[in-house]
């Protein structure tokens, strides 16, 4: 029942993802959510985020931000990152996942998505046919509509972890 929302992978942080290994596997584009994926909600790009995007470029990755936030928020974060971006993305609609791949010159087979929410980020990426990685939110302070979604996500993640545990036996 919940399988449609299960991430392909679930990791502690964007900053532990082995991007070099993913590049060796043939991935060439990475699409990111911003808030609670790269920085706390509403924060500008910090040193860790800046270093990540320099590293991605050095590896050879194309990157793009897609956010449901409005342009001022996305532009403020992207000022020192300098990557492609799409704001007001209406995730989980697949339209802007596809547009992001077009901007990067990649496709479903060589692009992955990284985000912190199951019902917008992961579900949209799954529906767009791309590999996705769910990360734990960076900071607990979130808008009320996200707090409510997190309660539902906890139920889905319970079944996701149960399935992983059963596969391990």
């Amino acid at each position: 029942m919940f399988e449609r929302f299960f991430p392909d992978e679930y990791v502690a942080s964007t900053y532990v993802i082995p991007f070099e290994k993913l590049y060796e596997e043939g991935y060439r584009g990475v699409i990111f959510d911003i808030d609670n994926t790269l920085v706390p909600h509403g924060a500008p790009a910090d040193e860790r985020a800046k270093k990540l995007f320099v590293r991605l470029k050095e590896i050879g990755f194309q990157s793009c931000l897609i956010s449901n936030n409005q342009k001022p928020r996305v532009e403020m974060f992207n000022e020192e990152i300098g990557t492609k971006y799409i704001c007001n993305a209406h995730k989980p609609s697949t339209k802007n996942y596809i547009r992001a791949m077009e901007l990067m010159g990649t496709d479903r087979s060589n692009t992955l998505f990284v985000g912190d929410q199951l019902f917008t980020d992961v579900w949209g990426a799954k529906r767009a046919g791309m590999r996705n990685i769910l990360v734990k939110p960076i900071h607990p302070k979130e808008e009320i509509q996200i707090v409510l979604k997190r309660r539902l996500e906890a139920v889905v993640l319970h079944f996701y972890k149960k399935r992983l545990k059963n596969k391990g036996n």
Side-chain angles (χ1 to χ4, degrees):
M1 176 174 154
F2 295 119
E3 289 84 6
R4 79 175 88 191
F5 300 111
F6 287 179
D8 294 332
E9 271 182 79
Y10 184 32
V11 299
S13 166
T14 299
Y15 300 100
V16 301
I17 297 171
F19 289 105
E20 291 81 1
K21 182 175 180 263
L22 291 165
Y23 192 85
E24 287 172 16
E25 291 174 10
Y27 290 96
R28 296 299 180 260
V30 187
I31 302 170
F32 291 97
D33 174 52
I34 300 171
D35 287 327
N36 262 339
T37 298
L38 294 165
V39 293
H41 187 83
D46 59 16
E47 285 307 309
R48 197 164 62 157
K50 293 174 199 174
K51 286 178 184 173
L52 174 64
F53 281 86
V54 167
R55 179 175 147 218
L56 291 170
K57 197 171 197 174
E58 288 171 353
I59 294 168
F61 274 108
Q62 293 291 314
S63 62
C64 187
L65 307 169
I66 67 172
S67 175
N68 285 347
N69 281 302
Q70 300 302 310
K71 193 172 185 174
R73 163 65 184 130
V74 178
E75 282 184 337
M76 182 263 285
F77 174 83
N78 196 42
E79 273 176 18
E80 296 198 50
I81 299 296
T83 193
K84 298 162 188 71
Y85 68 87
I86 298 168
C87 48
N88 198 22
H90 299 287
K91 295 179 286 181
S93 169
T94 60
K95 179 181 149 194
N96 285 307
Y97 290 83
I98 293 163
R99 187 164 154 237
M101 288 184 274
E102 290 169 356
L103 289 172
M104 295 187 299
T106 61
D107 60 39
R108 290 170 172 88
S109 70
N110 64 4
T111 305
L112 58 112
F113 180 86
V114 179
D116 70 299
Q117 293 188 54
L118 283 176
F119 302 128
T120 52
D121 298 332
V122 169
W123 194 37
K126 287 178 81 79
R127 291 175 56 230
M130 67 177 59
R131 181 173 174 184
N132 58 81
I133 301 173
L134 177 69
V135 298
K136 291 181 180 172
I138 289 175
H139 194 275
K141 184 176 181 271
E142 297 180 299
E143 296 172 339
I144 188 65
Q145 72 271 16
I146 296 172
V147 171
L148 297 174
K149 280 193 276 184
R150 293 283 186 213
R151 291 184 181 157
L152 295 171
E153 284 183 357
V155 173
V156 175
L157 287 172
H158 167 78
F159 288 101
Y160 169 74
K161 289 172 186 175
K162 189 173 180 178
R163 175 191 268 183
L164 288 180
K165 186 178 175 185
N166 289 339
K167 280 185 177 181
N169 292 335

